[in-house]
Amino acid sequence: MTENFADIINEEQLIQKHKKERKELQAQIQSLKKSIGKGNKKQKKDVTEEISRLELNLDKRQNEELINFKLSEVKLTEQINVKENLNTANETNEKEIQNTNEDEINQVPQQKTSKAQRRREKKANEEKERNQRIINEEAGNIFGKRNIEMMSIKNILVKREFKLHEIASDGNCLYNAVAHQLKVIGLTSMGFRDLRTKTALYLRENMNDFLPFIANSESEDLLTPEEYEKYCENVAKTSAWGGAVELQVLSKILQCPIEVIQATGAPYIVGDEFDAMKKLTVTYHRHMYELGAHYNSVTKHNPGERSEEF
């Protein structure tokens, strides 16, 4: 029987408990897969969804257990620190009393004691604030916007038998995500620099089509022709972030639809006039990084394969 979370007393026990649960889940998954009748597509679909649900639930519960365990450790540490501070304060007071004669005690009305007390209170408050920051950060790891969004996107992907393929956050994420998708479907092999160059060229050749849709990031006014040229130059030669306009251009350049999956709302497709068999799929994240929005790619997900940690 799996060990109860309330019985866990150290992190190693928690890790062993989670490993045991993973092993038990894999055995359950194998049993479910063996139950699929040959050629029964509906049963296979139902089992696949059940496996995905079991994996997602286990991931979520184990992450919650880990964060609760860490929170309990922080609170215990805070209690120990408070107790130690009190003990230290008592010892300090006793030493001050022992080292001070009666005349000094009568002449100095607790001036030294009050300063020492203020120092102790300041130290205790700083410790409390630090521990609260740790608690907030740990809680945010699971319940913050970033992870809620990530869990939603991964849930959507699993239902469609996809899994996330993470792209580096370096300003080239859109182009690298599209480049990865091109390799996945075996359409062509182009790197992000090739895609940037082609995107900039297309924008220059079709300025009248795109100029009305691009605004100055500072003034929000539409770009002048000179500013538009600078915009194209940045697309070609810098790591300027790509967005909706660049998505449209990439779809036209590659003559294929690009589907964008996001945490909320239905996925949308850019370039749906092109052959659906050549569709590229990327994910759009609003909260993945502090610097702004981000694009990732996807690959096929095999039923029973262990999900990535949230």
Side-chain angles (χ1 to χ4, degrees):
M1 181 180 294
T2 302
E3 189 174 5
N4 190 289
F5 178 63
D7 299 328
I8 300 298
I9 61 173
N10 60 53
E11 190 169 358
E12 180 60 29
Q13 285 183 327
L14 184 59
I15 291 172
Q16 292 303 318
K17 172 181 176 290
H18 286 178
K19 286 182 179 179
K20 185 177 180 181
E21 289 174 346
R22 291 282 181 189
K23 188 174 181 180
E24 290 172 352
L25 178 60
Q26 289 304 312
Q28 185 179 356
I29 288 172
Q30 292 303 317
S31 178
L32 285 170
K33 291 169 72 175
K34 289 179 181 178
S35 69
I36 301 174
K38 188 175 182 180
N40 192 331
K41 294 183 178 180
K42 184 180 183 304
Q43 188 182 16
K44 181 180 179 181
K45 181 181 177 183
D46 292 341
V47 169
T48 299
E49 290 180 353
E50 174 64 12
I51 289 172
S52 299
R53 185 187 66 80
L54 291 171
E55 290 179 327
L56 286 169
N57 287 343
L58 182 62
D59 281 338
K60 183 178 179 181
R61 181 173 60 76
Q62 288 189 346
N63 276 313
E64 288 176 350
E65 287 183 352
L66 183 60
I67 190 65
N68 287 334
F69 180 80
K70 289 185 176 180
L71 286 173
S72 66
E73 282 190 324
V74 171
K75 290 177 181 178
L76 179 60
T77 301
E78 184 177 7
Q79 292 173 357
I80 293 172
N81 288 337
V82 169
K83 185 176 180 180
E84 289 179 348
N85 287 337
L86 288 174
N87 291 336
T88 301
N90 291 333
E91 291 175 1
T92 301
N93 285 336
E94 289 175 1
K95 289 179 179 179
E96 287 178 352
I97 292 171
Q98 291 172 1
N99 295 332
T100 306
N101 59 42
E102 292 182 0
D103 291 338
E104 289 176 328
I105 292 175
N106 293 330
Q107 292 174 3
V108 183
Q110 299 185 355
Q111 182 178 356
K112 291 185 178 180
T113 303
S114 61
K115 286 184 177 179
Q117 183 64 29
R118 284 199 296 272
R119 286 197 299 270
R120 290 191 292 273
E121 289 177 354
K122 182 180 179 182
K123 183 177 180 181
N125 287 334
E126 289 175 349
E127 186 71 17
K128 185 176 180 180
E129 290 175 2
R130 187 185 72 83
N131 288 333
Q132 188 60 51
R133 284 198 302 272
I134 293 173
I135 291 171
N136 292 339
E137 288 172 2
E138 292 287 358
N141 286 339
I142 301 300
F143 304 110
K145 290 182 179 180
R146 178 187 186 278
N147 282 283
I148 290 174
E149 178 184 59
M150 181 64 79
M151 289 173 68
S152 298
I153 289 176
K154 286 188 175 182
N155 191 30
I156 294 170
L157 295 179
V158 168
K159 289 179 179 178
R160 294 181 51 179
E161 298 186 0
F162 283 140
K163 63 179 179 180
L164 197 73
H165 178 86
E166 292 200 13
I167 301 296
S169 176
D170 57 4
N172 299 308
C173 59
L174 172 61
Y175 303 98
N176 275 322
V178 170
H180 177 261
Q181 279 293 293
L182 292 172
K183 292 179 181 178
V184 167
I185 68 172
L187 183 61
T188 183
S189 179
M190 280 195 289
F192 75 90
R193 293 191 184 281
D194 295 326
L195 292 174
R196 277 189 173 279
T197 300
K198 291 180 180 295
T199 299
L201 179 60
Y202 191 94
L203 285 169
R204 285 190 175 102
E205 293 176 346
N206 298 274
M207 181 179 71
N208 293 335
D209 293 335
F210 293 100
L211 186 57
F213 302 100
I214 304 177
N216 187 302
S217 59
E218 296 180 358
S219 67
E220 296 187 358
D221 294 330
L222 294 181
L223 300 182
T224 64
E226 292 76 16
E227 290 172 333
Y228 185 85
E229 171 57 32
K230 178 61 177 177
Y231 182 93
C232 296
E233 184 76 6
N234 289 338
V235 169
K237 297 184 178 180
T238 74
S239 58
W241 185 83
V245 169
E246 287 73 27
L247 265 172
Q248 293 181 40
V249 174
L250 287 166
S251 175
K252 293 180 181 299
I253 292 170
L254 301 169
Q255 295 192 333
C256 61
I258 302 177
E259 180 184 26
V260 181
I261 295 175
Q262 49 192 344
T264 57
Y268 65 91
I269 297 178
V270 178
D272 55 2
E273 69 270 22
F274 298 114
D275 185 0
M277 297 297 292
K278 298 192 297 182
K279 183 177 70 177
L280 311 180
T281 303
V282 299
T283 59
Y284 177 66
H285 306 255
R286 291 177 174 82
H287 307 294
M288 190 163 186
Y289 296 103
E290 292 182 358
L291 296 177
H294 180 72
Y295 289 94
N296 279 320
S297 183
V298 302
T299 57
K300 292 298 291 182
H301 172 74
N302 298 319
E305 181 181 355
R306 184 175 180 271
S307 299
E308 297 175 8
E309 297 291 343
F310 290 120

